[in-house]
């Protein structure tokens, strides 16, 4: 991608918040899967949560393809080729992982240990690939985007993605993005959500996606920053 001279004129970063959340979800899931045992009563829930995490990651790729890559290709043809290749590789990983999840689910108890190990190792490879891919997007692609689009245009692209996310998926995303953010960024994110969402919806986000995923001290700090302490 050296043919693109990335001299940023914009500063808006729509990658960092969602990528922080995805990293948190992937690392938590990897830890849970590594500790999973065939005799665990909640193994079915662990596998269901793994599927949900993979669906969230797949949805993120689709949003990037539909909005960010389309806009980038219009201004710099060929610039998304490497990204598209990585996304294709990710989707092949999703298929591999679903096959392994099904094998674990269908196996007899005595056969599950090696299958769980195989699933864990395959997921660890996906996590490693995705961490590297997200870092590349933030370090290499973001400056290109910032050189080709204004802050207003980048914010419009972000808004276009957010508008496509259904409420249940948005709740899951918020449940990762908010705890993964800094305290200052949490206040900024929730302030923006409150300004653009009905009071009832904002209250649901706080109650379902935010408070259960923060420590008492972090939630108190957030409440004070939002003027909700009383």
């Amino acid at each position: 991608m050296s043919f693109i001279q990335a001299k940023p004129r914009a500063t808006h970063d729509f990658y960092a918040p969602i990528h922080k959340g995805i990293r948190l979800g992937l690392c938590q899931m990897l830890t849970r899967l590594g500790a999973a045992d065939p005799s665990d009563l909640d193994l079915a829930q662990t596998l269901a949560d793994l599927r949900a995490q993979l669906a969230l990651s797949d949805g993120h790729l689709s949003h990037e393809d539909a909005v960010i890559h389309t806009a980038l290709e219009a201004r710099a043809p060929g610039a998304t080729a490497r990204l598209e290749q990585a996304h294709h590789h990710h989707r092949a990983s999703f298929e591999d992982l679903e096959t392994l999840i099904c094998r674990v689910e269908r196996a007899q108890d005595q056969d599950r240990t090696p299958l769980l190990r195989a699933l864990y190792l395959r997921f660890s490879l996906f996590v490693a690939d995705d961490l590297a891919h997200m870092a590349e997007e933030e370090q290499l692609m973001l400056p290109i985007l910032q050189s080709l689009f204004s802050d207003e245009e980048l914010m419009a692209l972000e808004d276009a993605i957010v508008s496509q996310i259904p409420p249940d998926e948005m709740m899951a995303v918020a449940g990762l993005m908010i705890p993964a953010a800094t305290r200052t960024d949490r206040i900024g994110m929730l302030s923006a959500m409150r300004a653009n969402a009905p009071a009832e919806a904002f209250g649901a986000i706080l109650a379902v996606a935010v408070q259960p995923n923060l420590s008492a001290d972090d939630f108190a700090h957030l409440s004070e920053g939002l003027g909700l302490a009383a």
Side-chain angles (χ1 to χ4, degrees), residues 6-14 72 138 141-151 154:
K7 297 179 180 179
R9 59 192 176 99
T11 59
H12 186 63
D13 181 357
F14 48 47
L72 182 54
E138 292 179 47
M141 295 310 302
L142 182 62
I144 293 173
L145 287 160
Q146 290 172 335
S147 72
L148 296 171
F149 297 87
S150 66
D151 280 324
L154 294 176

Side-chain angles (χ1 to χ4, degrees), residues 24-25 27 38 60 63-64 70 95 100 134-135 153 160 198-199 209 215 221 225:
L24 175 61
C27 291
H60 175 64
H63 295 318
E64 288 187 339
T70 298
E95 293 179 6
L100 288 169
M134 289 188 288
E153 289 172 322
S215 68
H221 180 274

Side-chain angles (χ1 to χ4, degrees), residues 149-191:
F149 297 87
S150 66
D151 280 324
E152 292 74 19
E153 289 172 322
L154 294 176
M155 291 177 191
L157 292 176
E158 185 175 35
D159 288 343
I161 291 176
V162 172
S163 68
Q164 297 176 5
I165 302 176
D168 56 340
E169 184 181 338
M170 180 58 72
M171 201 70 75
V173 169
L176 293 173
M177 284 178 56
I178 301 304
T182 66
R183 281 185 162 189
T184 300
D185 287 344
R186 286 175 195 151
I187 295 171
M189 288 181 193
L190 269 297
S191 296

Side-chain angles (χ1 to χ4, degrees), residues 9-174:
R9 59 192 176 99
T11 59
H12 186 63
D13 181 357
F14 48 47
Y15 279 132
I18 182 60
H19 282 182
K20 277 189 175 184
I22 291 173
R23 289 182 182 107
L24 175 61
L26 292 175
C27 291
Q28 288 178 334
M29 193 68 247
L30 185 62
T31 300
R32 286 178 61 192
L33 194 58
D37 187 274
S39 62
D40 290 346
L41 295 178
D42 62 348
L43 178 59
Q45 186 61 56
T46 297
L47 297 178
D49 291 343
L50 173 57
R51 277 196 175 100
Q53 179 63 48
L54 295 173
L56 188 151
S57 294
D58 191 19
H60 175 64
L61 299 185
S62 296
H63 295 318
E64 288 187 339
D65 288 344
V67 178
I68 298 174
H69 294 189
T70 298
L72 182 54
E73 275 296 309
R75 296 198 181 180
T80 65
R82 183 179 174 89
L83 298 178
E84 294 290 347
Q85 184 180 20
H87 284 195
H88 178 75
H89 183 67
H90 279 11
R91 290 190 170 101
S93 294
F94 298 150
E95 293 179 6
D96 289 347
L97 288 163
E98 177 58 28
T99 297
L100 288 169
I101 292 170
C102 289
R103 287 178 181 170
V104 172
E105 290 175 328
R106 296 168 183 165
Q108 299 297 318
D109 289 347
Q110 65 272 16
D111 299 325
R112 278 185 172 165
T113 296
L115 291 173
L116 268 175
R117 175 69 173 169
L119 175 60
Y120 169 68
L121 291 176
R122 183 63 183 87
F123 183 60
S124 72
L125 289 176
F126 167 70
V127 172
D129 285 343
D130 202 23
L131 293 178
H133 173 64
M134 289 188 288
E136 180 176 330
E137 286 182 327
E138 292 179 47
Q139 294 175 310
L140 300 180
M141 295 310 302
L142 182 62
I144 293 173
L145 287 160
Q146 290 172 335
S147 72
L148 296 171
F149 297 87
S150 66
D151 280 324
E152 292 74 19
E153 289 172 322
L154 294 176
M155 291 177 191
L157 292 176
E158 185 175 35
D159 288 343
I161 291 176
V162 172
S163 68
Q164 297 176 5
I165 302 176
D168 56 340
E169 184 181 338
M170 180 58 72
M171 201 70 75
V173 169

